[in-house]
Amino acid sequence: MDPVPALDEPLKKVLGPATAKVMAEHLGLHTVGDLLHHYPRRYEERGQLTHLADLPMDEHVTVVAQVADARLHTFASSRAPRGKGQRLEVTITDGSGRLQLVFFGAGVHKPHKELLPGTRAMFAGKVSVFNRRLQLAHPAYELLRGDAEETVETWAGALIPIYPATAKLESWKIGKALQTVLPSAQEAADPLPGPLREGRGLVTLPEALLKIHRPHTKADIEEARARLKWDEAFVLQVALARRRHADAQLPAVPRRPRPDGILAAFDGRLPFTLTEGQRKVSEEIFADLATDHPMHRLLQGEVGSGKTMVALRAMLAVVDAGGQAAMLAPTEVLAQQHHRSVTEMMGDLAQGGMLGGADDATKVVLLTGSMGAAARRQALLDLATGEAGIVIGTHALIEDKVQFHDLGLVVVDEQHRFGVEQRDALRGKGKQPPHLLVMTATPIPRTVAMTVFGDLETSVLDQLPAGRSPIASHVVPAADKPHFLARAWERVREEVEKGHQAYVVCPRIGDEEDGAKAKKKSPEDEAEKRPPLAVLDTAEQLARGPLAGLRVDVLHGRMPPDDKDAVMRRFAAGEVDVLVATTVIEVGVNVPNATAMVIMDADRFGVSQLHQLRGRVGRGSAPGLCLLVTEMPEASPARQRLNAVASTLDGFELSRIDLEQRREGDVLGQAQSGARSSLRMLAVIDDEEVIAEAREEAARIVASDPDLERLPALRTALDALLDEEREQYLEKG
């Protein structure tokens, strides 16, 4: 008998170089252990067939079905002018619907012999539409005879696993590869401590792996899934619990505001009262800042809930205590915007060391990559001497040249746009670890926050400050009802006539370089086939057509920083009526006089992105209007997504919808430093209870055995989850 391959054995040795190469490049699978954890997406039953009626367009699918009829046609074409061209059309059925398969040319001979009426087989290919009917062109197929020994062996059991596959490697080939490595499942070390596993009635890991890949009954699949979900939730929560434990051991300088310092002076001049939410969250932050280990807090706030005000008060508290605070923004436009609004809110309190500065004033400096040399030198000097208490900047803050006198607090705006290394580099600039406040305006459902940011304490700002206006949102179906689009431009003109301003947002810039890069998305229908609308073209068409006579300007990410800033200043000053822009305006841009926004090709944006963009209007006393323009047909998923955005202003509700439509992998992916999602079984929204219970168990185990010395198998599973990149990610927070 051949020896069983070890779990860390490269697939190249076990399956051969060709298959291993496809698995590595297309599925990210490198070892026997990786392949064992490549779980089936679903199962087909021999007696029961896939629903052909609801196949997704443009996706790679595997179906089990029976041949209803097969016809060979001959035709004339440029390659076969004498009518010698051959096309085989095979109709397959599963009882719920029918699907056409098409084979051409020399490729017709084998299927013509094999796919006879009554034959059952598995078919894999990409779903396309021809003459308004769904079809698979040249699908790969595997006959389900059940007589040849190998087929019986491979399709053992009544349930056929269907694996996440690629065009280069069909589901059944992955199934065959798994049969080869399945004996190795016996070697899998169990990460769950025995008492925990037994107490929850979970099967062992080797048993779960066997049952997930070769189930005999549906109960086998349920048992395996329950166990594998627990593994994922538990190992991830142990990693986060160890982070929290390690952070609690770090020293930090407590920062308490003085009763008569700059914070008190600032609060005394506020022209409005803070909302109840702002007061509560500020108290949580001040309590954290006063402790002698570093704060790690996530501040979630609805678009426009006043997060910047809360962050500014935290920064002033640190300045009061003799420290410095740095705010990291993802774009130059946003850094400049924050700098402008912070200095305006502080008035002479931001003029430290200058004529006319208040007694308690400090300096607020801006640091971005495109600043002139002299301004940059001065900013660096102010930071090194401690003259500047607050610095607002982009990645430029992270460079080696930047030295702080005493960095006490780092505020990261829009967490999801920063790589781990960047945050870590900034945190490394303190003499002791600085306190960390992470802000996001994309509300995250509680379970995602627990899974992704489980090492951060969470504060939520969910009420809007007084004086913010409601935003009405409507979908404009440009293809079905072109007159709606004409009306949209009339609405923009009406807003401008009332003295207000408007944004028009497009997915693309529209210069050649951008056009080459613009990837076409999967066509849901004709609308998706054209390239997305571009800022430069749209601005020109509007200025010549429906918005002629208005002052139209453009803003996009590839403009020189000074030009971007100049456009934003003109817009903020009311010298521009309509700003046609890309998503550079998505976060932080604050022009209270802008009341209308038209988002072109709105279906090309994600739900949370649309919610963010919409938050740029209705920031003053006049009501806001957001029009979502799309050419998608009414029944398409894209339209349903837009209808959801138009129907609610609740960011938490929208992020839940967003999450249900995407896979968690995307959510985890952006937080897990781009490493592939470790979640294969766990569905963050559906498995809230498992995640919460796993978190409690993990905290208990880490409290009693932080280094997991008594649990070597858990330690091994942790090392597998946290390959080097991830380990560093977690180390750095």
Side-chain angles (χ1 to χ4, degrees):
M1 195 178 126
D2 293 337
V4 171
L7 295 183
D8 55 3
E9 185 91 21
L11 288 172
K12 199 160 48 192
K13 284 191 180 169
V14 186
L15 305 175
T19 307
K21 184 170 187 249
V22 176
M23 285 195 169
E25 286 177 4
H26 294 274
L27 297 168
L29 308 174
H30 303 277
T31 64
V32 168
D34 289 347
L35 181 54
L36 284 172
H37 288 290
H38 186 71
Y39 307 134
R41 178 176 285 165
R42 57 190 168 81
Y43 300 84
E44 293 296 357
E45 292 181 69
R46 276 280 171 75
Q48 217 189 11
L49 301 171
T50 336
H51 284 299
L52 293 182
D54 26 83
L55 286 179
M57 267 299 295
D58 242 24
E59 275 195 25
H60 217 83
V61 298
T62 302
V63 297
V64 179
Q66 189 163 353
V67 177
D69 68 54
R71 295 190 181 152
L72 191 63
H73 302 276
T74 52
F75 60 90
S77 71
S78 54
R79 286 191 188 165
R82 294 208 187 91
K84 294 277 177 66
Q86 290 191 308
R87 179 174 80 245
L88 176 66
E89 290 178 3
V90 178
T91 306
I92 58 173
T93 178
D94 66 349
S96 79
R98 295 166 88 81
L99 179 66
Q100 187 154 14
L101 316 178
V102 196
F103 301 87
F104 291 101
V108 304
H109 305 308
K110 186 168 176 269
H112 191 216
K113 283 209 297 273
E114 293 183 332
L115 298 178
L116 304 171
T119 308
R120 293 170 56 93
M122 295 175 81
F123 302 92
K126 201 171 183 184
V127 183
S128 57
V129 170
F130 181 71
N131 278 347
R132 302 203 151 203
R133 289 167 64 193
L134 291 184
Q135 68 167 26
L136 298 181
H138 281 285
Y141 63 88
E142 176 92 347
L143 301 179
L144 295 178
R145 293 196 188 88
D147 51 7
E149 186 194 345
E150 189 217 12
T151 317
V152 170
E153 177 55 36
T154 312
W155 310 118
L159 294 158
I160 302 170
I162 304 289
Y163 289 93
T166 75
K168 294 255 172 26
L169 200 65
E170 293 89 8
S171 169
W172 54 84
K173 289 187 181 161
I174 295 171
K176 283 181 178 170
L178 266 151
Q179 297 304 326
T180 310
V181 302
L182 206 50
S184 305
Q186 298 300 346
E187 308 295 310
D190 201 322
L192 289 193
L196 189 157
R197 185 174 57 72
E198 287 149 23
R200 295 191 173 273
L202 299 168
V203 299
T204 63
L205 182 57
E207 195 181 336
L209 290 171
L210 282 170
K211 285 183 168 175
I212 202 81
H213 293 298
R214 286 185 71 169
H216 293 294
T217 63
K218 287 187 174 169
D220 284 352
I221 299 171
E222 286 314 304
E223 281 186 359
R225 281 194 166 145
R227 164 62 215 248
L228 295 167
K229 277 182 180 180
W230 248 94
D231 276 18
E232 288 181 1
F234 179 68
V235 175
L236 188 62
Q237 291 299 345
V238 167
L240 294 168
R242 291 186 71 206
R243 261 294 301 285
R244 287 196 300 276
H245 185 271
D247 283 340
Q249 315 303 313
L250 289 174
V253 180
R255 310 280 181 175
R256 294 184 185 84
R258 301 199 314 274
D260 56 348
I262 188 169
L263 176 63
F266 176 76
D267 283 351
R269 309 166 169 210
L270 278 181
F272 51 82
T273 51
L274 297 173
T275 65
E276 184 55 42
Q278 285 174 318
R279 273 203 299 276
K280 184 174 122 298
V281 170
S282 290
E283 276 159 24
E284 291 170 355
I285 292 171
F286 292 153
D288 282 359
L289 290 174
T291 60
D292 53 11
H293 56 85
M295 163 172 86
H296 282 100
R297 192 166 278 282
L298 172 68
L299 172 57
Q300 295 197 63
E302 271 293 7
V303 179
S305 58
K307 290 183 302 299
T308 312
M309 173 59 72
V310 169
L312 176 55
R313 293 183 72 238
M315 294 197 286
L316 293 175
V318 169
V319 172
D320 255 353
Q324 289 170 295
M327 184 183 226
L328 197 55
T331 63
E332 295 211 344
V333 168
L334 190 51
Q336 287 160 340
Q337 174 86 29
H338 274 319
H339 181 254
R340 245 197 320 274
S341 59
V342 163
T343 46
E344 279 166 13
M345 283 197 273
M346 286 175 64
D348 59 4
L349 290 171
Q351 294 170 2
M354 295 183 229
L355 262 167
D359 294 345
D360 283 308
T362 185
K363 224 175 190 183
V364 180
V365 298
L366 175 69
L367 192 63
T368 64
S370 62
M371 285 168 72
R376 190 182 171 75
R377 259 200 311 276
Q378 184 59 52
L380 290 172
L381 186 65
D382 289 342
L383 286 178
T385 58
E387 186 84 8
I390 294 177
V391 58
I392 295 167
T394 54
H395 308 104
L397 278 178
I398 296 163
E399 292 168 11
D400 293 341
K401 291 199 275 294
V402 181
Q403 299 295 328
F404 288 86
H405 178 64
D406 177 16
L407 181 61
L409 170 67
V410 174
V411 178
V412 179
D413 191 17
E414 287 310 312
Q415 151 85 18
H416 59 275
R417 291 165 174 242
F418 278 104
V420 174
E421 291 71 25
Q422 297 159 327
R423 290 204 310 275
D424 181 51
L426 191 51
R427 275 171 62 182
K429 290 186 178 292
K431 297 188 175 71
Q432 284 194 324
H435 299 280
L436 176 70
L437 179 65
V438 168
M439 299 200 296
T440 175
T442 310
I444 308 168
R446 177 175 160 273
T447 33
V448 183
M450 268 169 42
T451 314
V452 179
F453 302 110
D455 57 318
L456 298 175
E457 298 298 327
T458 306
S459 296
V460 176
L461 274 179
D462 46 14
Q463 44 182 159
L464 294 183
R468 291 299 298 263
S469 303
I471 304 169
S473 307
H474 303 285
V475 177
V476 177
D480 315 351
K481 300 181 176 157
H483 59 285
F484 275 35
L485 183 57
R487 176 74 189 114
W489 300 126
E490 284 172 19
R491 283 291 289 113
V492 169
R493 289 195 91 94
E494 287 164 15
E495 287 301 309
V496 172
E497 278 159 16
K498 288 183 201 158
H500 298 306
Q501 293 158 279
Y503 298 100
V504 176
V505 182
C506 301
R508 197 162 66 86
I509 297 173
D511 45 22
E512 282 56 39
E513 186 191 339
D514 199 60
K517 278 196 219 158
K519 290 210 268 299
K520 286 188 187 173
K521 293 203 169 184
S522 60
E524 274 188 57
D525 65 5
E526 280 305 313
E528 281 271 287
K529 292 217 173 88
R530 63 164 174 71
L533 290 171
V535 165
L536 301 176
D537 309 342
T538 304
E540 197 179 321
Q541 286 160 9
L542 290 174
R544 284 207 313 262
L547 302 183
L550 302 187
R551 297 167 298 175
V552 177
D553 212 335
V554 299
L555 180 70
H556 59 74
R558 277 213 295 279
M559 288 164 62
D562 289 352
D563 295 3
K564 278 194 277 203
D565 197 37
V567 170
M568 272 318 297
R569 279 177 192 280
R570 285 203 301 278
F571 189 63
E575 293 160 22
V576 172
D577 298 321
V578 179
L579 186 61
V580 183
T582 56
T583 53
V584 290
I585 61 157
E586 179 186 345
V587 282
V589 172
N590 184 21
V591 179
N593 191 42
T595 54
M597 175 176 286
V598 181
I599 303 179
M600 307 304 291
D601 281 343
D603 46 273
R604 313 255 175 156
F605 299 100
V607 169
S608 53
Q609 207 175 18
L610 291 169
H611 183 56
Q612 283 278 16
L613 285 165
R614 168 171 66 184
R616 302 302 110 218
V617 295
R619 298 179 80 86
S621 52
L625 173 68
C626 178
L627 301 174
L628 306 166
V629 179
T630 177
E631 294 187 5
M632 284 290 144
E634 192 146 4
S636 63
R639 271 286 278 280
Q640 290 161 7
R641 209 168 59 229
L642 295 180
N643 291 339
V645 174
S647 68
T648 177
L649 290 172
D650 179 342
F652 285 91
E653 176 57 29
L654 285 173
S655 62
R656 243 188 128 84
I657 293 168
D658 199 17
L659 191 60
E660 281 159 2
Q661 291 194 339
R662 300 184 305 163
R663 283 181 46 253
E664 279 77 26
D666 307 348
V667 177
L668 276 180
Q670 69 184 18
Q672 302 286 37
S673 167
R676 68 197 160 85
S677 164
S678 56
L679 298 193
R680 296 180 179 84
M681 270 295 161
L682 203 63
V684 173
I685 287 282
D686 300 338
D687 298 317
E688 298 197 22
E689 280 174 29
V690 177
I691 293 168
E693 288 171 17
R695 183 173 175 149
E696 281 171 30
E697 294 278 10
R700 221 165 34 83
I701 283 168
V702 170
S704 65
D705 181 8
D707 294 329
L708 307 178
E709 283 165 2
R710 300 193 290 279
L711 299 165
L714 176 55
R715 179 78 240 200
T716 309
L718 210 56
D719 294 341
L721 168 77
L722 310 170
D723 48 35
E724 209 160 298
E725 179 186 2
R726 269 237 179 89
E727 181 69 70
Q728 287 173 346
Y729 167 74
L730 280 174
E731 285 302 314
K732 295 168 180 174

